Amino acid sequence: MIILSIVFAMLNGLHGILIAVESYEKALNEGNIFILKQMYKEALDAYESAILVKPTAHEAWYNKAVVLDYLGKYAESVESFEKAIQYKPDYYEAWYMKGRALDHAGKYDEAVRAFDKALEIKPDYIEALYNKGNVLDHLGDIDAATKTYDRVIQIKPDAYEAWNNKGLALARIPASRNEALEAYDKAIAINPAYYEAWINKGNCFVRLRRYQEAIHAYDKAIEIKPTEHASWADKGFTLADLGKHEEAVNAFNKAIELKPDSYASWNGKGLALDALGRYEEALVAYEKTIEIQPDSYGAWTNKGLAMSRLGKHAEAVVAYEKALQIQPDSYETMTNKGGELFHLGRNEEAIKAFDRAIELKPDYPQVWNNKGWALLRLGKFTEAVKSFDKVAQIIPDGEAAGIPRLAKIKYEALSNKGLALVQLQNYQEAVKAFGKAIGIKADVFSLWINKGLALQELNEHQEALDAFSKATTLSGNVHEAWNYKGYVFEEIGKHQEALDAYDKAIQIKPDFVIAFNNKGLLQDTMGNHLEAIETYNKALTIKPDLDIA
């Protein structure tokens, strides 16, 4: 009887094990079915049931981890992959997927180490190599990334995606962009229908400023897959770089037709419309961008620029403030905000915005220039001069000579400094400032006029005449230059030359009342009273309420 009891107990235990195995496999299979049905919460519950039955089952832990990763629960996912590895240390798939979860969690160095563990177990594991390369690229370790892609290519010579990824990594280094083009060409040679490589090749051409070749590459991508919105959008941006803004708008429209929620395409369309001077339409595009992507710093900034161009300065301030909520350390947007406050006459607030921009980037020349303007308007001329001097310190003469954008900022600062010095009656220094500005950009009408006026205050009559004479050869209100010449001639007693200059001003602008009045005054001084009266009458015909005539 005792022996029979023992045998019965053994059979009972075996039956329990069989039931447990069946329960585990049932739960695991149910989880897999839920995955196929995209019922991830139910799948997770099923895998947890399987683990309860069999806590050491690496497959259940692995499957649970995959679902957690998909649901964005990365920390829990990593823990579950570690459990799978604990029960099966050579489980290279688990090491690989742990790396993926760490990558998704932004733990890139740990992700690389996980991929390396997978590759220790299975050195030819291409998926692990691909993802390791991608993470290394993201970390900026381009050399290690390209070597990793080379390992993929060594294992699988026709791995066109590896050639493409290698190209993406190389394209980040300016000196390696021609190599990147070769890598894209390799990918295309292996798979001519691989439109992504054509897009990336186009992007690389853009970085090399070979815009026409970029357009050709995007057109090839479009030929292969006309419904890919990215090709059209990238083509739009490149057409805009070429100054073909109307064509750019058409390309962006096509991209938007294919993907109506592409905020980059809407933003690009806005920029192209902006360049065409179609500011209202640009504004609509930026607002659509914001509707799709409310936290788009670029769209809010661009909206501010469009509002400014439409003269809606208060609305522009609001747009820039929204942009600054998203990116508080943007010194350029802070400068733009200050510029709009300046336009609104809110000069003290403008200066506070400029000072904040200076805190963020003390060597930003435009903000010092703008601050100087605001100080000038407030009558703080000495402080304004100091601001304009900052611009000259930040932009060396060599840079101003070689970079047109910086040249413009510097000559404007020097010109404005000259104006501030005139207000301080420091005419000698004002002449020097205008002269330096002219040294950067000699074809600006107002610079020669202002230099001439400052020289006249110093009684440097001949030099003043030379400055006004130069102004008469430039684009601008040339009649004013002739009027000033007349005034200088009059000052030095050359009355006929003065009359000739006033006549020249009137010839250029027949309704130029000031020249008529000056001419009349001179005629009266010369004793030609009847001629003076006739000249005054002409002035009064033009402007009947002219008191001085």
Side-chain angles (χ1 to χ4, degrees), residues 426-490:
N426 190 345
Y427 301 113
Q428 197 71 50
E429 290 301 314
V431 169
K432 288 180 185 177
F434 293 132
K436 286 180 180 177
I438 287 166
I440 296 170
K441 194 165 176 62
D443 61 349
V444 178
F445 173 83
S446 62
L447 289 176
W448 288 100
I449 290 291
N450 290 335
K451 182 181 179 182
L453 291 170
L455 286 163
Q456 181 60 20
E457 291 290 341
L458 293 167
N459 294 318
E460 300 283 352
H461 302 303
Q462 188 54 55
E463 290 181 57
L465 281 172
D466 292 342
F468 294 137
S469 293
K470 177 65 179 178
T472 64
T473 68
L474 300 172
S475 176
N477 295 326
V478 175
H479 57 281
E480 291 181 357
W482 281 106
N483 183 61
Y484 288 130
K485 279 188 76 171
Y487 178 76
V488 178
F489 278 129
E490 192 175 339

Side-chain angles (χ1 to χ4, degrees), residues 1-13:
M1 289 296 294
I2 295 172
I3 293 170
L4 287 174
S5 297
I6 292 170
V7 171
F8 179 76
M10 287 176 65
L11 289 173
N12 234 7

Side-chain angles (χ1 to χ4, degrees), residues 390-435:
K390 268 291 194 181
V391 178
Q393 290 168 22
I394 293 165
I395 305 173
D397 291 341
E399 283 189 23
I403 304 171
R405 179 179 59 82
L406 294 180
K408 183 175 184 292
I409 295 170
K410 186 163 185 175
Y411 92 72
E412 284 177 352
L414 287 164
S415 175
N416 294 337
K417 177 185 175 181
L419 294 174
L421 288 164
V422 165
Q423 294 296 323
L424 291 166
Q425 297 185 2
N426 190 345
Y427 301 113
Q428 197 71 50
E429 290 301 314
V431 169
K432 288 180 185 177
F434 293 132

Side-chain angles (χ1 to χ4, degrees), residues 234-441:
D234 289 341
K235 182 179 178 179
F237 285 113
T238 309
L239 286 164
D241 286 333
L242 287 167
K244 298 180 178 181
H245 301 294
E246 197 66 60
E247 291 179 59
V249 170
N250 294 335
F252 288 127
N253 281 338
K254 185 66 179 175
I256 290 163
E257 177 190 322
L258 294 166
K259 195 174 191 301
D261 63 346
S262 170
Y263 73 91
S265 300
W266 279 107
N267 196 48
K269 180 181 177 180
L271 291 169
L273 289 165
D274 200 313
L276 290 166
R278 291 155 62 180
Y279 304 126
E280 292 285 2
E281 292 175 75
L283 195 55
V284 170
Y286 297 139
E287 285 172 348
K288 185 66 179 177
T289 310
I290 291 163
E291 181 187 320
I292 297 164
Q293 188 85 5
D295 62 349
S296 172
Y297 159 78
W300 281 109
T301 302
N302 292 338
K303 180 178 178 179
L305 290 168
M307 287 291 192
S308 178
R309 291 184 178 110
L310 288 165
K312 299 178 178 180
H313 302 297
E315 293 91 333
V317 170
V318 172
Y320 289 136
E321 285 174 345
K322 289 291 287 185
L324 288 164
Q325 287 173 19
I326 298 161
Q327 198 166 311
D329 60 349
S330 173
Y331 60 90
E332 290 173 315
T333 302
M334 187 63 73
T335 301
N336 290 346
K337 177 187 173 182
E340 297 310 309
L341 290 166
F342 174 80
H343 282 299
L344 291 166
R346 293 156 62 181
N347 299 307
E348 294 289 357
E349 291 176 75
I351 288 170
K352 285 181 183 177
F354 295 141
D355 283 340
R356 175 61 185 144
I358 288 164
E359 284 177 27
L360 293 166
K361 190 168 176 63
D363 62 347
Y364 183 44
Q366 188 62 61
V367 69
W368 285 106
N369 205 11
N370 290 6
K371 182 180 178 181
W373 256 118
L375 290 164
L376 198 59
R377 182 184 277 180
L378 287 168
K380 297 180 179 181
F381 304 121
T382 302
E383 292 177 61
V385 168
K386 289 176 182 176
S387 281
F388 296 132
D389 279 340
K390 268 291 194 181
V391 178
Q393 290 168 22
I394 293 165
I395 305 173
D397 291 341
E399 283 189 23
I403 304 171
R405 179 179 59 82
L406 294 180
K408 183 175 184 292
I409 295 170
K410 186 163 185 175
Y411 92 72
E412 284 177 352
L414 287 164
S415 175
N416 294 337
K417 177 185 175 181
L419 294 174
L421 288 164
V422 165
Q423 294 296 323
L424 291 166
Q425 297 185 2
N426 190 345
Y427 301 113
Q428 197 71 50
E429 290 301 314
V431 169
K432 288 180 185 177
F434 293 132
K436 286 180 180 177
I438 287 166
I440 296 170
K441 194 165 176 62

Side-chain angles (χ1 to χ4, degrees), residues 187-208:
I188 291 162
I190 296 165
N191 183 2
Y194 190 34
Y195 70 91
E196 292 96 330
W198 279 109
I199 293 174
N200 293 332
K201 185 177 178 180
N203 294 341
C204 190
F205 276 132
V206 168
R207 286 177 163 180
L208 290 165

